[in-house]
Amino acid sequence: MFGKFLAKIIFKAAGWKQVGNVPPEVKKCIMVAAPHTSNWDFIFARGAFYLMDLPVKFTIKSEAMVGPLGWLLDKMGALPVNRKKNNSLVNAMIDLFNEREQLVILVTPEGTRKYQPRWRKGFYHAAFGAGVPIALGYLDYKKKEAGVGPLFYPTGDVDGDIEKIKDFYRTVTAKYPENGVR
């Protein structure tokens, strides 16, 4: 696969390594990508997923899936969501999990590359509602590591659980640490 080949070249040239993975017995999960502080995050994260042979998907408005851009987005893992049919992205994500045998959906709960003290909670509600774990994907620029940390199983204590997830990300050095998780 060309993507994996290219990822190996990029990681070798940049001195990065891929560590950890989603355990093979886990067929469905939400993959959190944090801290997200740079456009470079996409390149290293996408490369890591190629190296892991992990078919990560992401949600996108179905209206964006037209023409050549739609074809490219599809090849990159886009899952079109018809927001007119379903006003709740959380419910749409739960439906996607219920319709498939295997699915990893990538989310960036910070919603921005700037520092964000309050994360969006939809990823948590989708994982809890679908009964799937949350995989803690990360990029550590200090260690030059791209990987997956522990799996987190939501308990229903939204604020407490998100704080525990953030505790893991506080150990990771973002490209721009001042915009990372505090």
Side-chain angles (χ1 to χ4, degrees):
M1 164 185 258
F2 180 72
K4 189 170 188 173
F5 173 75
L6 185 59
K8 284 180 183 181
I9 291 170
I10 291 170
F11 270 54
K12 185 158 182 70
W16 278 65
K17 62 185 173 201
Q18 182 269 313
V19 295
N21 204 337
V22 175
E25 66 274 10
V26 175
K27 303 296 182 198
K28 300 178 186 182
C29 68
I30 296 232
M31 173 74 70
V32 170
H36 177 41
T37 67
S38 164
N39 287 330
W40 284 101
D41 295 349
F42 176 78
I43 302 221
F44 288 115
R46 185 66 228 153
F49 297 138
Y50 280 132
L51 295 173
M52 290 183 237
D53 291 320
L54 191 62
V56 174
K57 306 287 187 183
F58 57 93
T59 57
I60 191 167
K61 289 186 244 180
S62 56
E63 296 84 9
M65 299 294 291
V66 295
L69 178 61
W71 177 85
L72 180 62
L73 290 169
D74 179 63
K75 295 300 175 205
M76 292 173 63
L79 287 172
V81 176
N82 184 346
R83 296 294 299 270
K84 292 175 184 160
K85 176 183 165 205
N86 189 344
N87 288 333
S88 167
L89 184 55
V90 169
N91 288 337
M93 290 173 71
I94 292 169
D95 290 345
L96 289 169
F97 279 112
N98 290 336
E99 294 164 358
R100 290 169 169 76
E101 297 283 324
Q102 186 173 354
L103 181 61
V104 177
I105 298 179
L106 180 69
V107 297
T108 55
E110 295 155 304
T112 178
R113 289 179 300 276
K114 303 280 188 234
Y115 171 67
Q116 181 53 257
R118 292 187 333 199
W119 283 9
R120 296 176 181 175
K121 297 177 182 175
F123 79 96
Y124 181 91
H125 293 293
F128 188 74
V132 301
I134 299 167
L136 306 183
Y138 69 94
L139 296 171
D140 190 316
Y141 281 82
K142 184 176 182 180
K143 295 178 183 176
K144 292 190 172 188
E145 288 181 354
V148 180
L151 291 178
F152 188 88
Y153 291 84
T155 66
D157 175 9
V158 181
D159 293 329
D161 286 352
I162 288 178
E163 194 57 33
K164 288 176 186 172
I165 291 168
K166 284 182 170 183
D167 284 344
F168 169 78
Y169 287 109
R170 289 183 181 105
T171 69
V172 174
T173 304
K175 176 143 178 80
Y176 299 107
E178 67 277 9
N179 292 336
V181 180
R182 298 181 203 164

